[in-house]
Amino acid sequence: MTLEFVRFETKDAEALTAGRDQLVDRLRERYGDGFVGARLVRFDDGSIGDLILWGSRETAERAAGEMPSDEAAAAFFGQITEVREMSHAEVLHSS
């Protein structure tokens, strides 16, 4: 499994979260079992963290390239003003 971590800025967290369900539905539809789950968090400094668990690194990288231009995800991605960091990590253990 692969964990995708993205930390970014938004001017409107409410609008961002309003588009979240549509994004998650699209991830499930497009990537099936390759999309395992996701958590959206807010850090103390106000930045947002998106933690997405993927079945494989290949699926994670494919989605990272495809989803920003997917019309079904436009409401979510349109609220991102600046991406601070994006990385992928291999999951070594999960419980």
Side-chain angles (χ1 to χ4, degrees):
M1 278 198 272
T2 295
L3 177 70
E4 179 176 285
F5 172 76
V6 186
R7 189 168 184 174
F8 57 89
E9 301 289 334
T10 184
K11 290 184 181 179
D12 190 343
E14 286 184 31
L16 178 84
T17 56
R20 183 64 171 182
D21 286 337
Q22 189 173 2
L23 171 65
V24 169
D25 289 346
R26 181 65 172 143
L27 292 172
R28 285 189 179 112
E29 173 187 305
R30 192 162 185 173
Y31 303 103
D33 291 342
F35 170 72
V36 178
R39 298 287 184 267
L40 193 64
V41 300
R42 183 184 350 238
F43 291 96
D44 290 341
D45 67 359
S47 65
I48 305 295
D50 202 351
L51 308 166
I52 304 175
L53 191 57
W54 297 98
S56 70
R57 184 175 189 99
E58 294 77 22
T59 304
E61 290 175 350
R62 188 174 130 220
E66 294 172 349
M67 290 310 297
S69 62
D70 189 301
E71 283 296 316
F76 180 84
F77 284 103
Q79 297 301 320
I80 296 173
T81 57
E82 177 189 349
V83 175
R84 286 189 182 183
E85 176 183 358
M86 180 176 181
S87 59
H88 293 102
E90 177 185 1
V91 176
L92 299 178
H93 179 269
S94 184
S95 57

